[in-house]
Amino acid sequence: KITVVISILALSATIFAQSAAADSADLTRLLNEFLAGAGRNDAVVHDRFWAEDLIYTRGAGQRVGKADIMKGVREAPAPKPDDPKTVYTAEDVRIQQYGSTAVVAFRLVGTTDSGGGKLSVSKFFNTGTFIKRKGKWQAVAWQATKIPGAEDDSRKQVAETEAAYQRAILASDTKTLESIVHPSYIWTHTTGQQDNREKMLGELTSGKLKYSKLETNSIVVNVYGDTAIVRGTSPRQRARDATATEDPKPFTVFYTLTLVNFGGTWRIVAMHTSHT
């Protein structure tokens, strides 16, 4: 009898182990499918992954539900061919199962390609709680915590973005500016005039805003978490327009740029210039 009991227990343990292994494989596959879909903002993938009673705590401290996530996914504008593209992958995946409940913890890596060989990487610790209902695993709780990047890396990325911005202004390269200047961008001039992104891009396209010279020096970069301030001096000269009889005089401005890290990509949200 004891032998029979031991055999039954051993068989039960084997079946449980096989079931757990199968569930672990299902959860891993589900996670990878979700990350691939998240990179292309796939509403079907999101709907499959999140449970209706989801509680999601974002890295920025916001708490949302599935309805909020689905609304954001469905209302997102269609991506343009030149928009930055982000690929999400999972590292150090750990799965702990408790019957029909499982905890999936991993390191999320978001790699954003902004074009021109420029890549930026953001990392988060993510922990998801999954419930298996009617044979289907779905996430009912999620916690994301951003992993701070090395300050030197952030300073380098900010400096590269600032340099690209200045080159694009000089070259009237609106395509590049659209990718690094945030839609909320405001340029405050010495006169107190404020121009938004649309006005700046429009004037560069029309030639109303055109520089024949634009240099920068004495640049100082300070990073404060997901916000950065760049200060510098810029000798510059406007290009002659059709009504001018001579080249405009060169001048120098002090400038301050404010940048914010949006999901691993630094974008310029404000600029202030003052003549010396």
Side-chain angles (χ1 to χ4, degrees):
K1 293 182 179 179
I2 294 177
T3 304
V4 172
V5 171
I6 293 175
S7 298
I8 292 173
L9 291 175
L11 179 60
S12 298
T14 301
I15 293 173
F16 178 80
Q18 291 174 344
S19 176
D23 283 328
S24 180
D26 286 344
L27 286 163
T28 301
R29 182 169 55 254
L30 178 63
L31 176 62
N32 290 332
E33 289 174 353
F34 169 71
L35 294 179
R40 58 179 185 270
N41 215 31
D42 190 320
V44 174
V45 170
H46 275 277
D47 189 47
R48 164 66 184 86
F49 191 77
W50 305 115
E52 297 301 323
D53 49 347
L54 169 74
I55 299 174
Y56 188 122
T57 304
R58 289 174 169 159
Q62 300 169 315
R63 181 162 286 174
V64 299
K66 179 175 180 176
D68 303 300
I69 293 175
M70 297 307 300
K71 183 175 186 292
V73 170
R74 288 170 175 147
E75 293 182 355
K80 299 177 182 178
D82 298 327
D83 283 350
K85 296 177 178 60
T86 302
V87 175
Y88 297 104
T89 55
E91 297 178 346
D92 190 21
V93 180
R94 306 179 188 183
I95 299 175
Q96 296 178 188
Q97 188 175 346
Y98 310 92
S100 61
T101 303
V103 173
V104 179
F106 64 99
R107 183 169 55 250
L108 174 70
V109 180
T111 304
T112 300
D113 184 353
S114 299
K118 183 181 178 183
L119 299 177
S120 57
V121 178
S122 60
K123 297 183 179 181
F124 290 79
F125 284 128
N126 280 262
T127 302
T129 302
F130 290 76
I131 298 292
K132 191 174 187 179
R133 295 165 173 162
K134 298 180 180 179
K136 183 172 73 172
W137 289 101
Q138 283 189 305
V140 295
W142 201 268
Q143 173 79 46
T145 302
K146 185 172 183 181
I147 304 173
E151 185 171 338
D152 288 346
D153 290 341
S154 295
R155 287 167 60 87
K156 180 182 178 182
Q157 292 168 8
V158 168
E160 290 173 348
T161 300
E162 188 270 344
Y165 169 82
Q166 304 290 6
R167 289 194 301 269
I169 291 287
L170 178 60
S172 299
D173 181 359
T174 56
K175 178 181 175 181
T176 296
L177 289 169
E178 285 179 348
S179 69
I180 61 178
V181 174
H182 194 263
S184 64
Y185 167 92
I186 293 293
W187 181 350
T188 303
H189 300 267
T190 299
T191 59
Q193 174 184 332
Q194 292 188 322
D195 295 337
N196 59 22
R197 187 177 84 154
E198 287 68 28
K199 182 175 181 181
M200 177 189 70
L201 295 176
E203 291 189 349
L204 286 169
T205 299
S206 68
K208 183 178 180 180
L209 176 62
K210 178 69 177 176
Y211 291 99
S212 58
K213 171 186 174 182
L214 194 159
E215 301 172 356
T216 58
N217 52 57
S218 303
I219 298 171
V220 177
V221 178
N222 292 300
V223 177
Y224 311 94
D226 285 336
T227 303
I229 304 295
V230 180
R231 301 178 181 88
T233 305
S234 177
R236 53 184 63 186
Q237 185 174 9
R238 296 287 291 266
R240 182 196 302 182
D241 61 31
T243 63
T245 58
E246 58 183 22
D247 291 338
K249 293 182 179 180
F251 60 98
T252 301
V253 299
F254 293 119
Y255 69 90
T256 301
L257 281 172
T258 303
L259 300 89
V260 175
N261 189 324
F262 293 93
T265 300
W266 289 97
R267 302 187 72 181
I268 297 168
V269 299
M271 180 173 183
H272 190 284
T273 52
S274 296
H275 284 214
T276 59

